[in-house]
Amino acid sequence: MSSKNIFKRGNTRARKGVALVLIVTVMILGLVFKNTIMVSARGGETIHAEFAQSYGLVDGVTKVKLAGLVVGVVTGVEHTDKGTAMVAMKVDREALDSVGSTPTARIVPLTILGGQYSVELHRGGNGTYDGDTIGLARTEMPVEIDRVLEALPSDTRKSTQRLLKNTNSSLDRGGSENLRGLLAVAPDVLPTAGTFLEALQGENPGNDLPSIVTDLEEMADVLVARDEEVAAILTDLGVTTHTLATRRGEVSSTVKDMPGTLDSVEVGMAQLDGTLELLDDSTSKLRPTVKELEPLLDELRPTLREARPVLAKLPPITKDAREVLKQLVPAVPVATDIVDNIRGPVIDRV
């Protein structure tokens, strides 16, 4: 083999080796800077929230959620001179339209044991969010399960331990087989459930379902804030149901008599229908008379206009006449006797 062919083959292998190294380098760089690239390519607006601690938030990894849906990602965590953490988040514009004028934010664990966290936004206020920093007064830190367990009484912790042991025993006594059966059936059920969940998101998946959940949260907040009124309503409802229960005989009798009552009402409505027909006929016959009255009323209008001053003076005159008549009433029997006496022998003599 000539040296020229060997030289060409060496160049080809060198080029392939360099290309392989470049490809591997690009892949490694892509893996290393994957989160940064994804954050840069993601749309949305950057907002800030101040937390008491960063609490395991990771740039480009920690998700931002609204009503359980991922709407953004944490893009930066900086520690302030006050010891707090200023968290930058890139959030979808559609989500920011539904958080209200004064949203709140809190860090929540993704698992019951912690370790991984997300930032949840909650609606606040009725206006539109203007992008201001969510301050410490409107941010919350997570409550870890170990702290909850530490706050529980010793008896409660022992009961929890027994519950976990009983759960393990239940799984050993056939619970595992039931779970496997559930997992075997799940593939047939999950597609339908996925279709249901997609339909549940509405026509605007990024807006409809979060809006519904937000409205439900607001309704729950109102119910909690007005717990006394709700308790009063439930109490009144309990009194009403108790009254209906104690008088169930009367209610039953009323319901039993209702068909007969409805029949009577139907008969009455039929008779009323006949009466209304007669009234309709009468009004139809009165229409020509009413039309003939119009010229008479036109002629009487000047007379009534002239008589109005006289009629205005009649109330005091009638009042005085009423007093005179009251005084004449006792004199009427005496006058009657006088007339009777005159009608007898005096008239005969005359």
Side-chain angles (χ1 to χ4, degrees):
M1 183 179 296
S2 64
S3 59
K4 184 177 182 181
N5 292 333
I6 295 173
F7 181 75
K8 289 183 178 179
R9 182 175 299 177
N11 290 338
T12 302
R13 290 179 178 178
R15 287 196 296 269
K16 289 182 179 180
V18 171
L20 180 61
V21 171
L22 290 175
I23 292 173
V24 172
T25 303
V26 170
M27 293 177 62
I28 293 174
L29 291 176
L31 293 174
V32 172
F33 298 101
K34 179 182 69 173
N35 293 330
T36 304
I37 296 172
M38 292 179 64
V39 170
S40 300
R42 184 184 183 93
E45 296 183 5
T46 300
I47 63 174
H48 296 82
E50 186 177 5
F51 292 92
Q53 299 177 13
S54 60
Y55 221 91
L57 301 181
V58 181
D59 302 352
V61 176
T62 303
K63 305 299 182 183
V64 180
K65 296 184 179 182
L66 175 64
L69 300 178
V70 177
V71 296
V73 64
V74 173
T75 58
V77 179
E78 296 182 0
H79 295 280
T80 65
D81 297 336
K82 299 181 294 183
T84 60
M86 185 65 67
V87 179
M89 299 171 286
K90 202 169 191 179
V91 182
D92 297 338
R93 294 182 179 87
E94 295 81 1
L96 293 178
D97 293 337
S98 61
V99 297
S101 59
T102 56
T104 59
R106 64 178 180 178
I107 301 174
V108 296
L110 296 179
T111 63
I112 192 172
L113 298 178
Q116 296 181 354
Y117 304 89
S118 66
V119 178
E120 284 193 357
L121 299 177
H122 295 271
R123 180 180 176 85
N126 298 321
T128 303
Y129 180 55
D130 56 5
D132 289 342
T133 301
I134 304 175
L136 281 174
R138 291 188 281 119
T139 59
E140 297 181 11
M141 302 298 295
V143 179
E144 298 287 0
I145 187 172
D146 53 351
R147 297 182 181 178
V148 175
L149 294 176
E150 289 176 0
L152 294 176
S154 58
D155 295 339
T156 304
R157 292 198 296 270
K158 292 179 181 178
S159 300
T160 304
Q161 292 175 357
R162 287 196 297 269
L163 175 62
L164 295 176
K165 291 180 180 179
N166 293 333
T167 303
N168 189 22
S169 301
S170 300
L171 293 175
D172 293 338
R173 291 196 298 267
S176 300
E177 296 179 359
N178 295 330
L179 289 177
R180 293 191 186 95
L182 176 62
L183 294 176
V185 177
D188 298 330
V189 178
L190 290 179
T192 305
T195 304
F196 170 75
L197 293 176
E198 290 179 359
L200 190 63
Q201 294 180 8
E203 297 181 356
N204 299 317
N207 190 21
D208 291 347
L209 185 58
S211 299
I212 294 174
V213 176
T214 301
D215 293 340
L216 290 176
E217 289 182 354
E218 291 180 356
M219 183 178 68
D221 293 339
V222 172
L223 292 177
V224 172
R226 300 185 176 181
D227 54 349
E228 296 181 358
E229 299 178 9
V230 175
I233 293 173
L234 294 176
T235 301
D236 295 339
L237 182 60
V239 173
T240 302
T241 54
H242 178 71
T243 303
L244 292 175
T246 53
R247 299 194 175 183
R248 56 185 178 274
E250 299 175 6
V251 175
S252 177
S253 177
T254 302
V255 174
K256 183 178 180 181
D257 296 339
M258 190 173 291
T261 304
L262 294 176
D263 293 337
S264 301
V265 171
E266 184 178 1
V267 173
M269 294 296 292
Q271 295 176 355
L272 181 61
D273 190 14
T275 304
L276 293 175
E277 290 179 357
L278 293 175
L279 182 61
D280 190 14
D281 294 337
S282 301
T283 52
S284 300
K285 294 177 181 179
L286 284 174
R287 286 171 186 165
T289 305
V290 173
K291 290 181 180 180
E292 294 178 359
L293 285 175
E294 186 175 359
L296 177 61
L297 293 175
D298 291 337
E299 294 180 1
L300 286 176
R301 190 174 289 112
T303 305
L304 295 174
R305 190 180 296 111
E306 294 176 359
R308 185 179 298 170
V310 178
L311 294 175
K313 296 178 181 180
L314 282 178
I317 295 174
T318 54
K319 183 177 180 181
D320 296 338
R322 185 180 300 170
E323 297 297 331
V324 174
L325 290 175
K326 286 182 180 180
Q327 295 176 3
L328 287 176
V329 169
V332 170
V334 177
T336 302
D337 294 337
I338 294 172
V339 171
D340 291 338
N341 293 331
I342 294 174
R343 185 183 299 169
V346 176
I347 294 300
D348 293 337
R349 291 174 186 175
V350 174

